Amino acid sequence: MIKSICCIGAGYVGGPTMAVIAQKCPHIKVTVVDLNEARIAAWNAADLSKLPVYEPGLDAVVAEARGRNLFFSTEVDRAIEEAEMIFISVNTPTKTYGVGKGMAADLKYIELCARQIARVAKSDKIVVEKSTLPVRTASAINEILDHTGNGVQFQILSNPEFLAEGTAMEDLFAPDRVLIGGDTTPEGQKAIQALVDIYANWVPKENILTTNVWSSELSKLTANAFLAQRVSSINAMSELCEKTGADVNEVARAIGLDSRIGSKFLKASVGFGGSCFQKDILNLVYIAKSYGLHEVADYWEQVIIMNDHQKRRFAKNIISTLYNTVSGKKIAFLGWAFKKDTNDTRESAAIYVADDLMGEQAHIAVFDPKVEKVQMLSDINYLNTRSEHDNEKLLSTFSDPYEACHNAHAIAVLTEWDEFKTYDWQKIYDGMLKPAFVFDGRNILNKHELEKIGFVYQGIGMM
Ligand code: UDX
Ligand code: ADP
């Protein structure tokens, strides 16, 4: 039975996942390591509101397990040496250089991890891929680990993460399924069993699925591609609704009641974001292309093309509605995160919409309940569209939503934070320039009520 686990990478996946394993398995010592000292310090902070990842319910779990059997540290080598099982939860962003630029996953961090494990390990280890990885990464890790020449045996498992940010704790407590891929050899099966036994501490056995490594790796990409495809499909319909007078919310409700289709992931929006969807689909496209499967590649690429179109279309609509000029106008953004209940902004639609509007010299005034100003500026600077100096002139942030909206020509809702619905919209209206516009990129506000106050309201997929 495994008594000691180490997880390399203390991010959105590694942190919450290990916190839950530690809470549910008090007999296992769980050490989460990261190169980033500030991040580890934040995980160790006495003030639980300072944790680097915001996830409802995470603070309570950390409070319970931290210092008991959950530890956060920067001593990577020591943690590797001590652990019987090592989870790799480092980031695998899309490559920004060289072959596969803009499509393939950058496996630099994964390879560095594998080399570090190979260098440090003195006893046999089970290595678990937790990060989303392109199919056949396990074999690359395997090769690196097998050529250490020090006689240590490694087993590689794929155990993809299906948690969604904002609901990570619920997803971890009661996962639809846990997927574990491993070698079909007896040693591989033994390693699989060791990981099954860990999850079995709180997940019903019938929800733990075991497969070969490649099926497990590809299932993760497939799940995300299917989910993202639903969003792009409903978003495609939203544009048609705006032309025909159909209401996309009504259409979604009508088709969602068909049990073959189901009601989830049918919310029309300004576009999906997050660290997974785009990256995983690009990965899938890249893999398909590399096997010469061009139709397969084109099929999935269209999901991304639709998503880019939806973001761009939202910005264009704001510009044309505001009489084709937003130069010097203040446009308030409610929300910057890619969805509610997270402080994560990776690939958030807000970044791209802001960039388009700033290209027309609009002044963007952002309020987000959980995202820091430095993060917003770094997101916009990362696009490299204009100088950092210009970005700072055009993008300002507010810690009070009413101030963000004061003297604005328009409000754009980019994240579906619940609190936005409870604001005093009359007060917001009174502080704005007239006519006052609301562009609801998440369809969360009440059109009828806002129109009664005097707003000009436009949601996604309705006239
Ligand atoms: C996703 C997968 O759901 C998860 O299983 C995987 O492990 C990681 O990627 P996440 O990126 O955290 O999780 O968020 P998710 O809830 O899937 O939403 C992704 C994006 O799609 C968000 O920007 C969200 O706002 C958007 N979305 C989702 C819609 O626009 N409409 C919907 O109906 C659902
Ligand atoms: P995810 O959403 O996949 O969890 P994050 O970017 O939030 O991604 O977290 C990944 C973490 O992995 C980062 O905190 C990063 O510092 C860490 N990391 C990357 N490479 C290494 C490495 N070789 N050793 C330790 N930590 C690493």
Side-chain angles (χ1 to χ4, degrees):
M1 207 166 63
I2 301 286
K3 292 208 175 56
S4 168
I5 288 178
C6 139
C7 173
I8 308 181
Y12 283 91
V13 171
T17 309
M18 291 303 128
V20 169
I21 292 184
Q23 188 205 32
K24 301 290 183 186
C25 312
H27 56 286
I28 300 177
K29 179 180 175 189
V30 180
T31 309
V32 191
V33 291
D34 203 296
L35 297 171
N36 184 333
E37 284 178 20
R39 211 163 206 191
I40 290 297
W43 279 111
N44 282 321
D47 178 358
L48 289 165
S49 71
K50 297 265 167 8
L51 295 183
V53 169
Y54 173 70
E55 244 343 303
L58 173 64
D59 46 358
V61 177
V62 170
E64 183 185 333
R66 195 175 61 186
R68 177 187 74 190
N69 63 326
L70 175 66
F71 303 92
F72 295 93
S73 153
T74 50
E75 291 185 71
V76 183
D77 284 3
R78 193 165 122 196
I80 292 174
E81 213 181 311
E82 285 179 359
E84 297 152 89
M85 186 179 268
I86 301 162
F87 287 80
I88 302 185
S89 256
V90 303
N91 36 338
T92 50
T94 304
K95 272 186 89 174
T96 51
Y97 55 88
V99 178
K101 177 178 168 185
M103 291 214 128
D106 193 342
L107 297 181
K108 176 168 77 182
Y109 304 104
I110 296 280
E111 185 175 335
L112 282 171
C113 273
R115 290 190 186 282
Q116 197 162 4
I117 296 171
R119 182 166 52 74
V120 173
K122 296 199 181 65
S123 54
D124 294 355
K125 311 272 182 213
I126 298 171
V127 176
V128 186
E129 302 178 342
K130 198 79 196 156
S131 322
T132 307
L133 297 168
V135 184
R136 304 209 74 95
T137 305
S139 68
I141 299 181
N142 220 344
E143 271 178 35
I144 294 169
L145 293 178
D146 270 356
H147 287 84
T148 58
N150 58 6
V152 173
Q153 296 294 312
F154 294 99
Q155 276 302 321
I156 319 286
L157 300 178
S158 157
N159 173 219
E161 190 47 76
F162 293 107
L163 67 80
E165 288 171 33
T167 53
M169 305 317 279
E170 296 156 43
D171 297 342
L172 286 163
F173 289 148
D176 283 353
R177 72 343 203 150
V178 168
L179 182 57
I180 301 173
D183 260 1
T184 46
T185 58
E187 299 79 40
Q189 295 299 306
K190 220 176 110 191
I192 290 180
Q193 194 55 47
L195 187 52
V196 169
D197 289 343
I198 292 177
Y199 283 109
N201 281 296
W202 76 97
V203 179
K205 278 250 162 64
E206 56 278 14
N207 292 2
I208 306 177
L209 213 70
T210 62
T211 63
N212 75 34
V213 179
W214 323 125
S215 303
S216 169
E217 288 183 337
L218 189 58
S219 297
K220 165 74 181 197
L221 296 188
T222 308
N224 279 344
F226 272 57
L227 290 169
Q229 182 193 39
R230 281 177 73 96
V231 179
S232 275
S233 297
I234 197 71
N235 282 347
M237 290 305 160
S238 74
E239 191 170 12
L240 193 55
C241 287
E242 288 165 25
K243 297 285 178 224
T244 57
D247 177 329
V248 77
N249 301 318
E250 291 178 352
V251 173
R253 199 160 85 234
I255 67 160
L257 285 172
D258 186 323
S259 60
R260 295 166 302 177
I261 299 173
S263 62
K264 291 179 182 162
F265 266 72
L266 284 179
K267 281 196 207 89
S269 67
V270 53
F272 61 73
S275 68
C276 281
F277 281 4
Q278 171 156 319
K279 182 187 76 177
D280 287 357
I281 294 174
L282 288 174
N283 239 308
L284 200 60
V285 170
Y286 186 72
I287 293 167
K289 277 192 183 151
S290 73
Y291 286 107
L293 309 178
H294 298 291
E295 290 79 4
V296 177
D298 290 349
Y299 180 76
W300 287 109
E301 191 164 20
Q302 194 59 36
V303 174
I304 303 282
I305 294 173
M306 186 62 226
N307 196 50
D308 287 339
H309 171 66
Q310 189 76 349
K311 293 182 268 188
R312 187 131 291 146
R313 184 169 97 71
F314 186 77
K316 263 198 196 141
N317 179 43
I318 294 179
I319 296 162
S320 65
T321 308
L322 298 184
Y323 319 107
N324 282 317
T325 172
V326 290
S327 176
K329 289 182 179 167
K330 179 177 178 184
I331 300 175
F333 271 30
L334 292 181
W336 188 263
F338 82 97
K339 64 190 271 196
K340 73 172 177 179
D341 290 339
T342 180
N343 59 344
D344 194 351
T345 64
R346 285 177 288 182
E347 290 302 330
S348 179
I351 305 168
Y352 296 92
V353 174
D355 193 52
D356 279 1
L357 294 174
M358 287 159 73
E360 294 289 329
Q361 300 175 349
H363 287 271
I364 307 297
V366 194
F367 168 77
D368 186 288
K370 289 287 171 195
V371 180
E372 311 272 349
K373 176 176 187 160
V374 281
Q375 186 59 51
M376 299 183 198
L377 278 172
S378 130
D379 290 336
I380 205 83
N381 286 334
Y382 187 76
L383 297 183
N384 235 336
T385 316
R386 64 192 79 67
S387 71
E388 297 192 5
H389 176 76
D390 286 350
N391 280 338
E392 275 179 50
K393 272 201 318 212
L394 293 173
L395 186 100
S396 46
T397 62
F398 292 81
S399 53
D400 176 73
Y402 297 91
E403 266 173 46
C405 298
H406 191 70
N407 278 338
H409 288 258
I411 295 171
V413 179
L414 276 307
T415 312
E416 72 280 21
W417 286 100
D418 289 332
E419 64 174 68
F420 298 165
K421 295 184 228 172
T422 66
Y423 289 172
D424 181 346
W425 282 93
Q426 180 68 53
K427 182 173 158 193
I428 291 179
Y429 180 79
D430 293 342
M432 285 177 69
L433 300 175
K434 309 295 177 323
F437 295 87
V438 171
F439 299 92
D440 189 349
R442 298 288 180 167
N443 289 354
I444 56 165
L445 301 175
N446 189 319
K447 176 180 160 87
H448 201 67
E449 275 172 24
L450 291 189
E451 284 177 345
K452 228 166 70 193
I453 293 173
F455 281 105
V456 182
Y457 175 92
Q458 287 190 14
I460 301 269
M462 48 183 110
M463 269 177 142

